[in-house]
Structures are given as structure tokens and as C-alpha cells.
Amino acid sequence: MHPPRTILTVGACLALAEASPLLRRALDPQALASEYFGNDSPWYQDRIPYFECSDSEIQDVYYYRWKIFRAHQRDLGQRGYISTEFLDDVGWQLEPWASLNDATGFHIGEGRWLRDRRFSDDYINHMFNGGNDRHFTDYMADSTWTRYLVDGDESTMTRHLDAMITLYDEWNDKLDKSGLYWIEPLADATEYTISSIDASGGQDGFGGGEAFRPSINSYMWANFRAIANIANLTGRSDVSSSYVDRAAELKQLFQDNIWNDTLGHFIDRHYTSNEFVQYWEPIRGRELVGLVPWMFSMPDDDPKYSSAWSHLLDSDKLSGSSGMRTVEPSYEYYMRQYRYDAATGLRECQWNGPVWPYQTTQALLGLANLLDTYNQTFISKTDYLNELRRYTKLHYNNGKLDLEEDYEPDKPGPIVGLPRSHHYFHSGYNDLIISGLVGIRPQADDTLVVNPMLPADSDISYFRLQDVAYHGHTLAVQWDADGSHYGQGAGLKVYVDGDEAASAAGLERVTASVSRASATTIDRSRIAKSVQLVRGQYPIGSASTGNETENVHDAIDGRVWFFPELPNGWNSNATEEDSQQWYAIDFGADTSLTSAELAFFADDGDFALPKDYTVLSWDNGEWKKIVGEGDQPVANGITNVKWADLSTSKLMLQFTQLAGKRTRLAEFKAF
Ligand SMILES: *[C@@H]1O[C@H](CO)[C@@H](O)[C@H](O)[C@H]1NC(C)=O
Ligand SMILES: *[C@@H]1O[C@H](CO)[C@@H](O)[C@H](O)[C@H]1NC(C)=O
Ligand SMILES: *[C@@H]1O[C@H](CO)[C@@H](O)[C@H](O)[C@H]1NC(C)=O
Ligand SMILES: *[C@@H]1O[C@H](CO)[C@@H](O)[C@H](O)[C@H]1NC(C)=O
Ligand SMILES: *[C@@H]1O[C@H](CO)[C@@H](O)[C@H](O)[C@H]1NC(C)=O
């Protein structure tokens, strides 16, 4: 007798496929997400690729970096999500979004690996629709291209082609008669560097010191090349070939003029002429920025240029004991401190020596390119792993994961760890793990290349990365030195949709062909209507206690994080007895709403979860309890509430606060 035939819906089929052992999901996403993210794990669960590694520090920092990514997603409501550089507001951000365009390349570099493509896509849309004010130099066209190399989705990239052309033409205001671009180091996010300090006669160097720098010239080269590639895809071959030419010309000028034979390094030439420095004079020392061109595989594969990487291994040069120095110790003003934070008196950012996660990331991206495709013997995968490990260690601050702004090159610890600096997102890391250590080298054609940046004799006995979306497929890459960890045989294995697509006995570069499938659709069905971008404008918050403007704004500022070091949200005042407290949002007009997300923070100190809560709507001149479904209140995660569609001008969260405790509502979102 046959059992009755079950008719499955498409959704049910997918669920079955996911449970199938064929997919070899050796790691348990749910267990890893709850181990690393606790009550906030639902945010991560179906979004991040999962990673395991015999080096537990690397594994721990990998998950910590997704926490940084999540914490820096600012929801702008209708405009979508952007990535912020500082967790909270700083004076030089672009209002009212709080965006800054210098770390955008890292933000997209990390975000391109998320299975949920909304975050990188919204952010790219934001940046090409007025969010990029050219406050800093950037390589966003290139980042958009390299995101496409992962998801294979043309339309979300090609729609920005005209905006890219316009944006990078505006940089002609920094194009010199020599054909090279110049920039004030500050606008390169690199204040107090050799060119700016020397242009001040050693007196300062925060501003000024305009120079022809390796950074801006390689960024522009990468942007031109990306525009050429994108134009080619859309069939605009005239645009494509003109950008191929512009890139070739810039590269030639760059190699001819920025390469310095005496120092064997790409170094700035001064643009400024004054009593201290002269136009076209080379600066007088090596800087880490001289390795940035490899981040885009720009320099020719010529040992003359590749030899510059030997400076990264020399402890008299760019190799500090705790990481990569930004400037060499031979420089007269190496590590001289010029600037202090006005509020705290503590040291401020300078790039005349300190280890900088920003440029460390750039150098490691460049090193992986060099090791992947260049023919050279100056530096090896052993060095890659050593540098990655040094960088990994920087993330620990007295044993706790907390990445700050910059670091001592020759002793442990941060230099700039100001109140604003905690969990700073001005660098990448997971992109280094995925495209470097694990070695997924995304391609424009229908291939997959995996080249782990690990030496044959490495002490990394196993790793596995899975749930990586690539060209519409799901990848897993696994290394098991002796086959004992995963029980699926020794060596390197690459799986596409659960099927073995490539393998090697050792840590080698392997290639597989991968057909092109559609990337997952981006779900924008939930748009927050509660986010206040401009203080004083709707939506407007109010609260029972702790009603100072800034405190109230913080619960509807579109930011969700639960790090205790940098408080986020509205904080109520404590009361002696249990008390009823409330937080309300006035939308300024009738608004259709179906759900809310409450982000409560709690710790072992002042802040506790409320005993209970109710959501009310403003209905004909009075508050009425909304009938719906709500989760039990959750600490340091999202408490979901939903109801049948209703239209109201105001929403209120009412709750019972425990005696002697305060309540922190990190965010109150309404959809
Ligand atoms: C443009 O695309 C064609 C094939 O589609 C390719 O042969 C050519 O190299 C591409 N040009 C550039 C600049 O990428
Ligand atoms: C390289 O830079 C140094 C330091 O500024 C300078 O003395 C030297 O002349 C430069 N070498 C060349 C070949 O331009
Ligand atoms: C790599 O470089 C070496 C030394 O410069 C040279 O002898 C060799 O032919 C090169 N190999 C390739 C594949 O270009
Ligand atoms: C609430 O606490 C703030 C300080 O956090 C204080 O300034 C304010 O007066 C308090 N308000 C009430 C009603 O206790
Ligand atoms: C805060 O609440 C107090 C007491 O209700 C009120 O007098 C004050 O105007 C409120 N402040 C703000 C900024 O709303």
C-alpha cells in the first residue's frame, strides 16, 4: 500500500532540500548564531555565511565583525539602510543620514558576502543618489563591481553607471596638468602623513600637504576600470573603450612618476609649493599607502614593483611588532603626537606611524591579489597568515572584543580609543577571511576560483565556510588537513549547492565552472516609518521620564546595537517602586502600521527588561490597546509585535518598570 501522495508547495520543497544531507551543512547555523549573538541571533541566522576554523581567535573575530556590521546598519526608513563608520553621530558626517564615504569600500566589501543583499544594495543606491558628497576619496564604482563579482546581478549595478561617470568626472577638480590626481591627505582619511607634516615644516599636518598620492590615483584607476567593465556589460562600447584608455594612461603615468627607484616603493609627490616643500618633489620616506595599488591589482606584474612588499616584512621599515606601521620609523616626525581630543585630552588620530585597521585591510587585500596572480618571491602565504593573525589580535582590548581607531605599532594596545571609537567600522575583516584565508576569488565569468591564503605547512588544521551565495548558488569551502575533523576525507573541498565541484589534496588554487543563476530577490517589504532623521521633525518621540531631546531621539534614530560600552537608545529614569513608563511616537499624520520591533537592552547593572508591555494606538482622541501578538520581552535582541493593519497618527509603548531599575529602549521601530 502506498502512503497518500503529499502535494508540496514550493516553500515546502525548499525546506526539504535544506534538510537534505546532500547539502552537507556540516556547521549548524542556528547553534553558531545563538552561541555568538545570543538573543539577537535571528538577525544573523539566515543572513551570514557560517565559518569554523581551528584558530579560534580568527573564528571569534569573524563573528564579532558581523556584529560590527549589524550595529552599523542605520535604517533611514524609505531610503533604506546605510553603513555608518562611527556607531553614533560625529560632527563631520553627512546630514541627515550620518554617512561618511571613506570606509564605504570596506562596508560594501563585507556586505557583498551577506546572503541578504538588501544592506549592500540600499547603501549603494544611497551613495549614488546623493549620499556621496566627495568628502573623502573613494573607490565605490570598483566596490560596486566587486559586489557584482559575488552576486552576479547586473541590473543592481548597471543602473548606477551614469551616476558613476558623473561622480568620478567631478574629481577632475583634483586632476593636475601632469595627468595625475592630487589630494589633501585629510580628504584621504590620512591626516598627519609625511606630505602634510612636511608641508607645515614639521609644525602640524592635520590639513594641507596636498600631494599626488598612491591612494587617490589607484582608486581612480580602479573606478575607471569598473566603469569600463560595467559599460561593456550594457553594450556601451564607446564609453567602455574610453575608460579603458583613461585607466591605461593613468596607470602609465602612475608607474612612471609615483614609483621611486631609490626607495623601491610608490611614494607621494608634493602638489603644494611653499617655503618647506616644492611641487613634484618626492616625499622623503616610505608609507604603507604605497602598497594600496595592489588592492586593485593595478601595478604590472614586474619584480621591480612587487619588491616593495619586502618592506612590509622588515622591522626597520613597515613591520611594527604589533602590526603594519603607516610610516617608517626613519621619518623625522615618526609617531610625534600633534593632536589631542579637546574633550578628553587623549591622543587623536594621526597616520605618521600608528597601525591603522583601514590600511591594514587594504594591504591584506592587496597581498591576497599579489599572492593569487603575481609571479613574485618577495612575500608568501606564511606572511599573509602572520599579518592576518596580528590584525586579528588588534581586535582584542584587554581580552574583550572591541575594535578601536588605531594602535601602537610597537607595543600592545590602542592609541585612539575615545568615547566615540568603540566597535569602529573603518576597516574590513570578513572580506579578508572569505576572499583571503578561505580564498574565494570571485570572477566575472562563469567560474569559481578558490585559493586559500594559507601556506602548505600552516598550523590551521581545518576550516569550513558555508552558506556563501555566489552567482545564484550556495558555496561551501572546507579544509581538513587529515580528514579527521569533518570525516569527509582529507584536503580541500569546494561544494556548489551541496555537490563537490572541486578538490585538492593540499592547499592549492582550484577552479570550477559554475553556471549563472539568478541572485535571490531583495526583500524591501518592511519599511520603517518610525525613523527620525532630523531632530524636531516627524516622527517625534516623547517619553514618561528621561525626556531630554537627545535621549528621546536615540530610540527612533534607526540604529540598533547592544554594546554596553557605547549606550544606544532612550534611557528611562529609575523609580523606587515598580512604575508604569511609556515611550510614544507621533507620526504627524495618519500612518498605516502592521508591526513593531522593540529593542530592549539589559545588563547586570542599572538596566532591566520591563515586566510586561503593551502597545497602544491613538484612536479618536484617546489611547487604545492594540489587539495583536507580541513576543515575551527579550533582552539585547528584538521583541516582535504584530497586529492587523491599522491607521493611526501615534503609537505608544507602555510598560511596567521594575523598582530601582531603568529601561533602555535601544530602538522602537514601527512598520
Ligand atoms: C567587453 O566584453 C567583451 C565580450 O563580451 C570582451 O571580449 C571585452 O574584453 C570586454 N572589454 C572590456 C573592456 O572589458
Ligand atoms: C626618491 O625619493 C627620495 C626621497 O625623497 C629622493 O631623495 C630621491 O631622489 C628619489 N629618487 C628618485 C629616483 O626620484
Ligand atoms: C616568474 O619569474 C621568474 C623570475 O623573475 C621567471 O624566471 C619566470 O619565468 C616567471 N614565470 C612566469 C610564469 O612568468
Ligand atoms: C531623569 O534623570 C535625568 C538624568 O539622567 C535628570 O536630569 C532628570 O531630572 C530626571 N528626571 C526625573 C523626572 O527624575
Ligand atoms: C520633559 O518633561 C517635563 C515634565 O513633564 C516637561 O516640563 C519638559 O518640558 C519636558 N521636556 C522636553 C524636552 O520635552
Side-chain angles (χ1 to χ4, degrees):
M1 211 180 80
H2 294 283
R5 198 161 160 253
T6 317
I7 297 168
L8 295 173
T9 62
V10 172
C13 278
L14 277 177
L16 269 190
E18 259 162 6
S20 151
L22 272 180
L23 276 182
R24 293 189 183 82
R25 295 183 92 183
L27 308 181
D28 179 350
Q30 200 169 353
L32 282 164
S34 56
E35 176 188 345
Y36 281 100
F37 310 115
N39 288 342
D40 201 27
S41 65
W43 190 90
Y44 302 88
Q45 175 113 24
D46 295 324
R47 291 192 166 117
I48 63 167
Y50 288 85
F51 176 62
E52 183 184 59
C53 182
S54 62
D55 183 321
S56 64
E57 271 189 4
I58 292 179
Q59 178 176 323
D60 290 349
V61 172
Y62 173 83
Y63 290 101
Y64 167 65
R65 292 296 302 225
W66 285 126
K67 229 185 219 188
I68 288 192
F69 184 91
R70 163 5 174 210
H72 284 269
Q73 293 310 305
R74 186 180 191 202
D75 189 343
L76 304 177
Q78 195 59 46
R79 203 176 165 89
Y81 286 91
I82 58 162
S83 295
T84 59
E85 171 182 332
F86 292 92
L87 279 177
D88 223 333
D89 294 306
V90 290
W92 57 97
Q93 69 193 20
L94 181 61
E95 295 291 359
W97 325 117
S99 53
L100 286 166
N101 73 314
D102 52 330
T104 306
F106 303 123
H107 300 158
I108 299 172
E110 305 282 274
R112 68 183 176 145
W113 297 108
L114 276 188
R115 279 186 289 160
D116 183 344
R117 301 188 299 131
R118 178 166 180 200
F119 301 99
S120 62
D121 203 59
D122 279 359
Y123 188 38
I124 288 170
N125 294 342
H126 165 80
M127 280 290 176
F128 286 120
N129 287 311
N132 188 331
D133 57 347
R134 299 202 303 128
H135 188 133
F136 296 102
T137 51
D138 68 60
Y139 49 93
M140 248 176 49
D142 175 78
S143 303
T144 306
W145 170 254
T146 54
R147 180 188 67 142
Y148 160 77
L149 296 183
V150 175
D151 71 10
D153 182 358
E154 288 182 18
S155 67
T156 53
M157 169 178 69
T158 53
R159 73 163 80 116
H160 299 298
L161 178 59
D162 290 326
M164 288 173 187
I165 291 172
T166 305
L167 176 68
Y168 294 106
D169 272 348
E170 286 173 20
W171 283 99
N172 286 342
D173 62 358
K174 300 284 186 287
L175 182 58
D176 180 61
K177 60 181 187 294
S178 65
L180 291 169
Y181 290 87
W182 54 271
I183 191 71
E184 180 188 31
L186 178 61
D188 232 358
T190 321
E191 59 269 28
Y192 296 98
T193 192
I194 295 180
S195 69
S196 62
I197 296 174
D198 281 357
S200 77
Q203 297 306 299
D204 191 37
F206 178 68
E210 287 77 1
F212 301 101
R213 312 200 73 222
S215 44
I216 185 170
N217 286 288
S218 48
Y219 296 170
M220 292 305 288
W221 180 82
N223 287 324
F224 290 166
R225 194 192 48 168
I227 290 171
N229 289 336
I230 298 166
N232 199 21
L233 276 180
T234 62
R236 289 167 68 178
S237 54
D238 51 333
V239 174
S240 181
S241 61
S242 91
Y243 275 85
V244 166
D245 293 347
R246 283 176 78 172
E249 193 185 327
L250 181 57
K251 174 171 158 173
Q252 194 61 50
L253 288 168
F254 182 76
Q255 291 190 157
D256 290 350
N257 296 297
I258 299 302
W259 180 259
N260 178 293
D261 264 330
T262 318
L263 296 177
H265 210 77
F266 289 112
I267 60 165
D268 302 13
R269 285 181 185 272
H270 290 285
Y271 174 79
T272 304
S273 282
N274 63 20
E275 58 184 310
F276 305 112
V277 296
Q278 287 305 309
Y279 173 91
W280 207 246
E281 231 174 31
I283 58 166
R284 52 173 167 148
R286 294 184 200 94
E287 301 185 322
L288 188 57
V289 73
L291 300 178
V292 166
W294 280 274
M295 187 183 159
F296 310 106
S297 300
M298 178 192 188
D300 287 340
D301 184 2
D302 179 337
K304 170 171 117 170
Y305 302 128
S306 301
S307 67
W309 286 89
S310 62
H311 305 137
L312 191 60
L313 304 178
D314 186 334
S315 60
D316 291 332
K317 301 193 170 106
L318 293 172
S319 181
S321 61
S322 58
M324 302 177 194
R325 298 181 181 118
T326 41
V327 166
E328 291 187 358
S330 56
Y331 175 51
E332 182 180 0
Y333 302 113
Y334 174 74
M335 291 300 285
R336 175 177 292 192
Q337 192 68 35
Y338 290 96
R339 186 160 173 257
Y340 297 86
D341 175 50
T344 59
L346 297 170
R347 289 184 289 174
E348 258 287 8
C349 286
Q350 302 188 172
W351 311 118
N352 56 346
V355 177
W356 190 20
Y358 187 103
Q359 235 161 45
T360 301
T361 309
Q362 294 186 317
L364 280 164
L365 288 167
L367 182 51
N369 290 338
L370 185 86
L371 295 168
D372 186 42
T373 59
Y374 285 64
N375 177 25
Q376 60 81 41
T377 51
F378 302 99
I379 192 162
S380 68
K381 287 184 177 177
T382 302
D383 303 311
Y384 184 94
L385 182 57
N386 288 343
E387 292 298 343
L388 182 68
R389 281 185 158 146
R390 275 142 50 101
Y391 180 34
T392 301
K393 288 205 186 302
L394 290 187
H395 290 75
Y396 290 88
N397 205 339
N398 293 319
K400 239 178 51 188
L401 284 166
D402 185 1
L403 186 66
E404 310 255 23
E405 295 188 45
D406 69 2
Y407 290 82
E408 292 284 357
D410 285 293
K411 50 185 173 182
I415 296 173
V416 179
L418 295 169
R420 65 170 193 234
S421 317
H422 298 288
H423 312 290
Y424 190 41
F425 195 14
H426 203 224
S427 60
Y429 184 86
N430 290 340
D431 195 20
L432 301 174
I433 297 302
I434 299 171
S435 71
L437 182 104
V438 171
I440 298 177
R441 316 286 309 162
Q443 304 292 316
D445 62 10
D446 293 349
T447 60
L448 165 65
V449 174
V450 175
N451 186 6
M453 292 296 139
L454 286 175
D457 61 352
S458 109
D459 60 353
I460 302 239
S461 55
Y462 63 86
F463 69 70
R464 180 180 166 95
L465 177 74
Q466 67 178 41
D467 305 302
V468 177
Y470 180 74
H471 293 197
H473 297 276
T474 301
L475 307 184
V477 179
Q478 179 177 299
W479 165 246
D480 195 349
D482 62 9
S484 65
H485 194 76
Y486 298 109
Q488 290 168 351
L492 180 68
K493 291 185 189 298
V494 179
Y495 301 97
V496 176
D497 298 329
D499 296 324
E500 193 173 304
S503 67
L507 287 157
E508 283 160 36
R509 190 179 204 267
V510 295
T511 304
S513 57
V514 180
S515 63
R516 200 160 283 253
S518 305
T520 52
T521 48
I522 297 171
D523 180 5
R524 291 194 172 86
S525 56
R526 276 162 76 78
I527 301 290
K529 295 171 178 169
S530 50
V531 180
Q532 182 182 48
L533 294 176
V534 181
R535 283 132 175 109
Q537 290 184 10
Y538 290 115
I540 292 176
S542 57
S544 49
T545 59
N547 67 351
E548 303 80 13
T549 309
E550 209 42 39
N551 192 27
V552 170
H553 167 75
D554 267 2
I556 49 172
D557 67 352
R559 296 168 165 111
V560 179
W561 78 79
F562 304 102
F563 292 122
E565 298 83 11
L566 215 167
N568 171 36
W570 165 70
N571 300 323
S572 73
N573 288 29
T575 46
E576 278 177 31
E577 308 288 330
D578 283 6
S579 65
Q580 287 295 305
Q581 301 278 334
W582 55 265
Y583 185 102
I585 304 172
D586 183 346
F587 300 94
D590 278 346
T591 303
S592 162
L593 299 169
T594 58
S595 60
E597 291 182 359
L598 313 173
F600 292 113
F601 169 87
D603 60 14
D604 297 330
D606 273 5
F607 292 95
L609 265 186
K611 244 177 162 164
D612 55 48
Y613 72 89
T614 313
V615 182
L616 305 98
S617 66
W618 187 246
D619 186 347
N620 273 321
E622 57 178 339
W623 288 109
K624 269 212 188 120
K625 193 176 160 176
I626 298 177
V627 180
E629 291 167 39
D631 296 344
Q632 284 298 312
V634 167
N636 309 323
I638 302 299
T639 304
N640 286 288
V641 193
K642 59 180 183 191
W643 55 81
D645 196 5
L646 67 81
S647 178
T648 184
S649 64
K650 295 190 226 179
L651 208 59
M652 178 188 276
L653 169 71
Q654 207 175 60
F655 57 91
T656 310
Q657 172 169 291
L658 293 172
K661 293 289 183 183
R662 307 172 73 192
T663 307
R664 177 175 297 160
L665 186 56
E667 192 72 12
F668 180 5
K669 275 198 196 182
F671 302 89

